[in-house]
């Protein structure tokens, strides 16, 4: 595997879960991920979103270069990540709980468009709580 992930807290192991907490009154809870290409060649990276467990009436979407509509699960475009480079600016996950308290889990899978077996993923658990 040539791709690895990190966020502002540091490296993320493949298929790990990171919890992002926020108030149920927020309309947009965001998660940012950084994608590193550990190979010696440029890789064209795409993203697939998997809704693992969603609260009723919540909405989510993601940005990978451009922001995709709610309901889109696969990036149409790939982004070039050069050998040894880290893309820190193009991915964001967006989640709107619509004033519901609880959690949803969304998996983001990053993969080489020319080799889908070369992939890495992270599960983001969006945990919403009442504003106190």
């Amino acid at each position: 595997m040539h791709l690895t992930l990190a966020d502002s807290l540091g490296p993320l192991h493949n298929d790990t879960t990171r919890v992002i907490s926020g108030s149920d009154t927020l309309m947009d809870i965001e998660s940012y991920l950084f994608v590193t290409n550990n190979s010696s060649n440029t890789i064209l990276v795409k993203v697939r979103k998997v809704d693992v467990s969603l609260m009723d009436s919540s909405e989510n979407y993601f940005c990978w270069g451009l922001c995709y509509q709610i309901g889109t699960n696969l990036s149409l475009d790939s982004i070039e990540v050069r050998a040894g480079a880290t893309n820190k600016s193009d991915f964001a996950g967006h989640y709107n709980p619509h004033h519901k308290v609880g959690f949803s889990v969304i998996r983001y899978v990053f993969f080489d468009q020319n080799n889908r077996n070369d992939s890495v993923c992270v599960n983001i658990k969006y945990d919403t709580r009442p504003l106190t």
Side-chain angles (χ1 to χ4, degrees), residues 4-14 16-20 32-36 86-88 120-124:
T4 55
L5 297 174
D7 64 9
S8 62
L9 299 176
L12 296 165
H13 296 289
N14 187 39
T16 193
T17 299
R18 176 72 84 204
V19 178
I20 307 291
Y32 297 97
L33 298 171
F34 313 141
V35 183
T36 299
T86 299
N87 181 309
K88 292 185 175 182
V120 64
C121 71
V122 66
N123 301 296
I124 302 294

Side-chain angles (χ1 to χ4, degrees), residues 3-130:
L3 299 173
T4 55
L5 297 174
D7 64 9
S8 62
L9 299 176
L12 296 165
H13 296 289
N14 187 39
D15 203 24
T16 193
T17 299
R18 176 72 84 204
V19 178
I20 307 291
S21 298
S23 167
D24 63 324
T25 60
L26 292 173
M27 293 184 63
D28 190 21
I29 300 171
E30 300 171 328
S31 59
Y32 297 97
L33 298 171
F34 313 141
V35 183
T36 299
N37 173 2
N38 298 296
S39 78
S40 56
N41 299 305
T42 296
I43 294 178
L44 297 173
V45 179
K46 293 184 90 169
V47 178
R48 181 173 56 253
K49 177 182 72 75
V50 180
D51 297 332
V52 176
S53 172
L54 297 179
M55 281 194 306
D56 289 342
S57 77
S58 66
E59 294 180 322
N60 69 85
Y61 67 96
F62 70 97
C63 303
W64 182 235
L66 60 97
C67 293
Y68 292 91
Q69 294 181 2
I70 293 169
T72 300
N73 294 319
L74 180 65
S75 62
L76 300 176
D77 296 320
S78 58
I79 291 181
E80 182 178 279
V81 182
R82 294 193 174 135
T86 299
N87 181 309
K88 292 185 175 182
S89 60
D90 286 309
F91 180 82
H94 296 267
Y95 178 75
N96 183 342
H98 287 286
H99 302 283
K100 301 279 184 174
V101 173
F103 67 89
S104 293
V105 178
I106 301 168
R107 177 177 297 129
Y108 300 104
V109 182
F110 297 80
F111 62 94
D112 178 344
Q113 83 168 13
N114 297 316
N115 178 6
R116 288 182 178 247
N117 292 324
D118 190 356
S119 66
V120 64
C121 71
V122 66
N123 301 296
I124 302 294
K125 181 178 180 179
Y126 295 95
D127 184 8
T128 56
R129 298 165 188 227

